[in-house]
Amino acid sequence: MKDPTAVQRRIIEAADPETGRLSGTEAQLAGLVRARLAFRHPRPPHAYFLTPAGHRIRDGGADAVPRAASAPDPAPAAAPASGVFAARTGAEPGPGVEGPSRAREVRTAWEGLVELRRMTNTDGARDRPCGWERTHLVQAAALALEAAGLPPAWPGRDGYRVADTPQPEAVAVRAPSPDGLRACAAALERAGWQVGEHAAPRGGGRYLLASPRRV
């Protein structure tokens, strides 16, 4: 992929530092979209925003180079197979990067998933999980938790953990404390999931069983 032009760099560097919203002519912004450095929001007023690749250039300055894997399409942005973004399940082998750039990526992925719900649910519902979430249960639940601001577990830090279960359309969510478990339940319910609390066998503590709500 070609490096951005001087004009494109100026537009990227002038983006809103919090939201990544861009200003420029339609032709300039369309060029950033073609370069996978920006995306056009599907809802009015159809503003343009930086993709994670665009944010990396803005944060890294002149030495940052965009990566072809950072395509901005909102729906695949939530999918781990895309190479763009993967929500943290709490099973990662090491600590992840935190800070403003991660928060932006999480927010972009969540907004993209909500838009995917609107586009693929037959009634256009945004408050109910869509087909993608039903085929990517662990990633979808983890994204809902991370988007709610809850901390995932990693080595040396307690946090939520999301895992597959033998039950169809259900994931298990664990947290290090009763308050943490309740926070996870509330976040998943707000995201359109059905949640029940259960006791693990042989004194294994309590956990949540969560499934995407259908109605």
Side-chain angles (χ1 to χ4, degrees), residues 91-118:
E92 289 75 20
V97 176
E98 293 191 315
S101 62
R102 177 65 184 183
R104 286 192 296 263
E105 290 188 355
V106 172
R107 183 171 59 248
T108 298
W110 176 251
E111 290 174 354
L113 186 56
V114 171
E115 182 62 16
L116 182 63
R117 290 177 175 186
R118 184 192 70 80

Side-chain angles (χ1 to χ4, degrees), residues 23-202:
S23 298
T25 68
E26 190 69 21
Q28 290 169 337
L29 297 175
L32 287 171
V33 171
R34 288 192 297 273
R36 299 182 176 180
L37 299 174
F39 69 94
R40 185 172 185 260
H41 201 282
R43 293 193 296 274
H46 302 298
Y48 289 81
F49 296 85
L50 291 175
T51 64
H55 277 294
R56 280 193 291 272
I57 289 177
R58 185 183 187 282
D59 296 340
D63 292 334
V65 178
R67 295 187 299 185
S70 298
D73 184 60
S82 68
V84 178
F85 174 88
R88 293 177 181 149
T89 67
E92 289 75 20
V97 176
E98 293 191 315
S101 62
R102 177 65 184 183
R104 286 192 296 263
E105 290 188 355
V106 172
R107 183 171 59 248
T108 298
W110 176 251
E111 290 174 354
L113 186 56
V114 171
E115 182 62 16
L116 182 63
R117 290 177 175 186
R118 184 192 70 80
M119 292 188 295
T120 60
N121 282 333
T122 55
D123 58 355
R126 294 185 176 91
D127 61 350
R128 190 175 70 252
C130 62
W132 183 90
E133 291 166 275
R134 298 180 193 284
T135 58
H136 299 79
L137 292 169
V138 171
Q139 277 291 316
L143 177 56
L145 294 172
E146 195 173 356
L150 299 177
W154 64 47
R157 187 182 81 173
D158 288 332
Y160 68 77
R161 297 177 184 271
V162 186
D164 280 318
T165 73
Q167 297 182 237
E169 286 204 359
V171 295
V173 179
R174 290 175 170 80
S177 69
D179 285 346
L181 204 62
R182 284 191 289 271
C184 289
L188 288 167
E189 287 170 351
R190 288 194 301 270
W193 292 63
Q194 298 178 140
V195 181
E197 188 173 329
H198 302 268
R202 296 183 294 279

